[in-house]
Amino acid sequence: MDQLGVAAQTQKSPWGSVGPAAPACSLTEVMSEQLARQLDEENAFPALSDPAVDPLRSEEAPDTTSDLMLAQMLQMQFDREFDDQLRREEKKFNGDSKVSISFENYRMVHPYEDSNSSEDEVDWQDTRLDPYRADKPQTTPRRGFSGKGKNITTKHDEDTCGRKNTARMDNFAPEVHVGDGLGMDLKLSNQVFNSLKQHCYSEQRRSARLHEKKEHSTAEQAVDPRTRLLMYKMVNAGVLENINGCISTGKESVVFHADGGSLEEQPVPEEVVLKVFKTTLNEFKNRDRYIKDDYRFKDRFSKLNPRKVIRLWAEKEMHNLSRMKKAGIPCPDVVLLKKHILVMSFIGKEHVPAPKLKDVTLGSEEMKEAYQQVLQLMQQLYQDCSLVHADLSEYNMLWHQGKVWLIDVSQSVEPTHPHGLEFLFRDCRNVSTFFQKRGVSEAMSVYDLFNTVTGLNIPVGAEDEALFMAEIEALEKRNEDHIQKRGKKTFPMTSEDGGPPLEPDSDD
């Protein structure tokens, strides 16, 4: 044992001198408290509370004894990781697109605040050093050519012009997708480039016209900003409690349902409708003849101002409804007229409008009763109100509370209109055809119905429509000559028709 110990002590290690081996300890000695205290005294460490020797409390390391500091450090690390992820999503979303989308508003730490960001990281907006961006073609020198001798190239070179035209496509509008022509070395001839340029300008003008038309006209189930402002003013003034939504659309107007309020201390019906006349009648251009030949509005008609023509439409329906209401004809009550918005009473119950005559299902007796009511209404309208509906059909008649109600009288004219009898004959044809198809045996023919409503006695004969229309046109001609000789111009609206108050037009 002694020889082995001496040999072990004399053996040298290639890594240096080896310290003496620690004496072997038994388990009892390891568990001894006296041995533990002895080891603590031999291997004494400096106190951690001393900031001079604390490696964790150096100037480089932050103070981690506070829970608030730890929370802030964790939050900063989370924000950096979130920004990195957002930057990757932004780069993936934009790709190689010319128009890029920025997620800057969603970042937690802005680039100028993030001092620990990598310096070699390329900002997403910096495209000056984009290695994937195609080089633009070289510009021709001022002298107009480059090269010498046989290698001379002028500004009219086909390849050079083609590349320049491809580069000019970057100046097109953003909505025109030109693709990556430079990357694929595309060469456009002057003819093709000029055609594309002209098409781009034409599309821009067309898009601008459509946008302007949409902004300044009433669309199918929407209103333009000016009309929306008028509706808001009605709600703010207390005339309406709220506007619920669209219940009907047509070629010339949109109808909204609303809850009534009060008007100058006068109660408004609980349920009303807003008939908003469209500020463009491009789909129904022939409607001007209903106004320009009406002697009540002839002097006020101006074809050069379509917005004022639309207001005349609304005013005309208001006066026609007031005249019909005086005669006892079932029709909506007019509440208010404001420019091209007409507020009327609602025909229906609990937000459900009354069905049209074409949609309602009636028995044979009820259908006969409806026909008799329509016949009486047509006679009252012609004889008592001196009006012709001019668009009477099953689409403009409602069935409510066992009665037929007439609506949509904006195009109604007087019998003295140059085409008033023609309009009446067309109404008679629509009414007679509808009730004959519904199996009403008492339904008269169009000729008998016309004579019954007007009180005229135009001979029917062999029921030749051409001869009948010739008689009607002759009557209209004599009536027009008689009116012109009398010098009849405009009826006094206020005394004859009455009507609800008209809101003053403060602006056009």
Side-chain angles (χ1 to χ4, degrees):
M1 293 295 291
D2 297 337
Q3 294 178 355
L4 290 175
V6 171
Q9 292 178 358
T10 57
Q11 186 178 1
K12 294 184 178 179
S13 173
W15 307 106
S17 60
V18 180
C25 299
S26 62
L27 180 61
T28 306
E29 294 176 349
V30 170
M31 299 299 294
S32 174
E33 295 181 0
Q34 183 179 0
L35 180 61
R37 285 194 298 269
Q38 181 180 356
L39 292 176
D40 288 341
E41 294 176 356
E42 293 177 357
N43 303 320
F45 291 97
L48 293 180
S49 59
D50 188 3
V53 294
D54 189 1
L56 298 179
R57 289 179 177 252
S58 60
E59 294 181 358
E60 291 82 6
D63 183 12
T64 57
T65 58
S66 173
D67 293 340
L68 176 62
M69 180 60 68
L70 287 174
Q72 290 177 350
M73 292 173 61
L74 291 175
Q75 184 64 41
M76 288 179 61
Q77 182 64 24
F78 173 79
D79 292 344
R80 291 193 186 97
E81 294 178 0
F82 177 80
D83 289 346
D84 293 340
Q85 178 66 22
L86 197 65
R87 195 176 292 108
R88 288 192 293 269
E89 291 291 337
E90 178 182 332
K91 187 176 181 181
K92 180 181 178 182
F93 182 82
N94 291 326
D96 297 333
S97 176
K98 294 181 180 180
V99 181
S100 58
I101 304 299
S102 173
F103 295 162
E104 184 69 22
N105 294 336
Y106 299 98
R107 293 183 181 178
M108 297 296 184
V109 181
H110 290 279
Y112 60 84
E113 296 177 354
D114 191 5
S115 59
N116 295 329
S117 59
S118 178
E119 295 181 358
D120 57 351
E121 185 178 354
V122 180
D123 190 13
W124 67 274
Q125 291 182 343
D126 188 6
T127 58
R128 294 172 297 179
L129 302 177
D130 188 1
Y132 301 101
R133 187 178 182 86
D135 297 331
K136 291 191 175 181
Q138 296 288 338
T139 58
T140 307
R142 295 182 61 182
R143 57 193 177 188
F145 65 92
S146 61
K148 296 181 180 180
K150 295 182 180 180
N151 297 327
I152 190 171
T153 303
T154 66
K155 62 180 180 180
H156 302 291
D157 183 70
E158 183 178 359
D159 293 342
T160 304
C161 289
R163 292 190 179 96
K164 285 183 179 180
N165 291 335
T166 303
R168 290 194 190 105
M169 289 197 304
D170 291 342
N171 299 328
F172 287 174
E175 58 267 15
V176 180
H177 302 285
V178 296
D180 187 13
L182 292 176
M184 63 180 66
D185 195 18
L186 181 66
K187 305 179 185 67
L188 293 179
S189 64
N190 293 337
Q191 182 180 1
V192 174
F193 174 74
N194 291 334
S195 299
L196 290 175
K197 183 179 179 180
Q198 185 64 32
H199 175 72
C200 178
Y201 289 161
S202 301
E203 286 297 315
Q204 281 185 286
R205 291 195 298 267
R206 187 180 68 86
S207 177
R209 286 196 301 268
L210 290 177
H211 181 72
E212 183 179 1
K213 177 181 175 183
K214 183 178 180 180
E215 285 295 324
H216 294 85
S217 63
T218 309
E220 269 301 317
Q221 291 188 6
V223 293
D224 60 348
R226 190 177 293 185
T227 305
R228 193 179 300 115
L229 180 60
L230 293 176
M231 297 168 69
Y232 287 160
K233 286 183 178 180
M234 290 184 183
V235 176
N236 293 335
V239 179
L240 305 175
E241 290 292 335
N242 50 33
I243 300 175
N244 300 317
C246 178
I247 60 176
S248 177
T249 59
K251 291 175 289 186
E252 62 182 24
S253 63
V254 183
V255 181
F256 294 90
H257 181 275
D259 297 330
S262 61
L263 177 63
E264 295 180 358
E265 300 181 357
Q266 296 180 1
V268 178
E270 294 183 0
E271 295 183 85
V272 295
V273 294
L274 278 73
K275 187 170 184 179
V276 181
F277 289 85
K278 294 182 179 180
T279 54
T280 175
L281 290 180
N282 294 330
E283 301 177 358
F284 218 41
K285 292 181 179 179
N286 61 342
R287 283 268 160 166
D288 57 351
R289 63 174 181 164
Y290 292 91
I291 293 183
K292 70 178 183 179
D293 293 329
D294 195 329
Y295 294 97
R296 299 176 295 171
F297 301 91
K298 189 173 184 179
D299 292 344
R300 301 171 55 192
F301 176 75
S302 174
K303 196 173 183 179
L304 300 178
N305 194 338
R307 190 172 289 273
K308 289 187 178 181
V309 174
I310 301 303
R311 295 184 190 179
L312 280 183
W313 271 103
E315 184 178 345
K316 185 178 180 182
E317 177 155 7
M318 181 199 71
H319 290 298
N320 290 340
L321 287 174
S322 300
R323 191 182 292 190
M324 292 166 59
K325 203 66 181 179
K326 284 185 177 181
I329 297 177
C331 64
D333 295 327
V334 181
V335 178
L336 179 67
L337 173 65
K338 175 62 176 176
K339 294 186 179 181
H340 60 285
I341 300 179
L342 184 61
V343 183
M344 302 176 290
S345 61
F346 177 68
I347 302 177
K349 188 177 181 181
E350 296 180 355
H351 298 196
V352 180
K356 298 177 182 178
L357 201 57
K358 74 176 187 70
D359 298 326
V360 69
T361 302
L362 301 176
S364 57
E365 295 298 326
E366 290 180 332
M367 190 60 68
K368 292 179 182 179
E369 177 64 24
Y371 174 74
Q372 296 296 332
Q373 291 185 22
V374 172
L375 179 60
Q376 183 180 359
L377 292 177
M378 293 179 69
Q379 290 176 335
Q380 283 184 275
L381 195 65
Y382 184 85
Q383 298 173 6
D384 299 342
C385 301
S386 186
L387 287 175
V388 175
H389 192 284
D391 194 21
L392 188 63
S393 65
E394 62 272 18
Y395 295 88
N396 292 329
M397 292 184 286
L398 304 180
W399 181 261
H400 180 58
Q401 296 178 349
K403 294 190 300 183
V404 177
W405 296 66
L406 298 183
I407 60 172
D408 193 9
V409 292
S410 58
Q411 72 286 329
S412 300
V413 298
E414 292 191 342
T416 55
H417 190 278
H419 304 284
L421 295 181
E422 297 177 30
F423 297 153
L424 179 59
F425 183 79
R426 186 177 60 190
D427 293 346
C428 294
R429 177 190 291 146
N430 294 336
V431 171
S432 179
T433 303
F434 170 74
F435 283 102
Q436 286 177 358
K437 287 182 179 180
R438 290 299 179 96
V440 179
S441 58
E442 290 81 359
M444 294 181 286
S445 64
V446 57
Y447 310 103
D448 294 334
L449 182 60
F450 182 86
N451 287 332
T452 303
V453 171
T454 59
L456 301 175
N457 193 13
I458 300 177
V460 177
E463 295 187 354
D464 189 353
E465 184 173 344
L467 294 177
F468 200 86
M469 291 300 300
E471 290 288 339
I472 292 177
E473 292 175 1
L475 286 173
E476 290 177 342
K477 180 63 178 176
R478 290 197 296 268
N479 188 23
E480 185 177 2
D481 295 340
H482 178 67
I483 292 176
Q484 289 179 355
K485 289 180 181 178
R486 292 175 54 190
K488 188 176 182 180
K489 291 185 178 180
T490 308
F491 289 108
M493 300 289 184
T494 56
S495 61
E496 184 179 350
D497 297 332
L502 278 73
E503 288 283 333
D505 293 343
S506 58
D507 54 348
D508 291 330

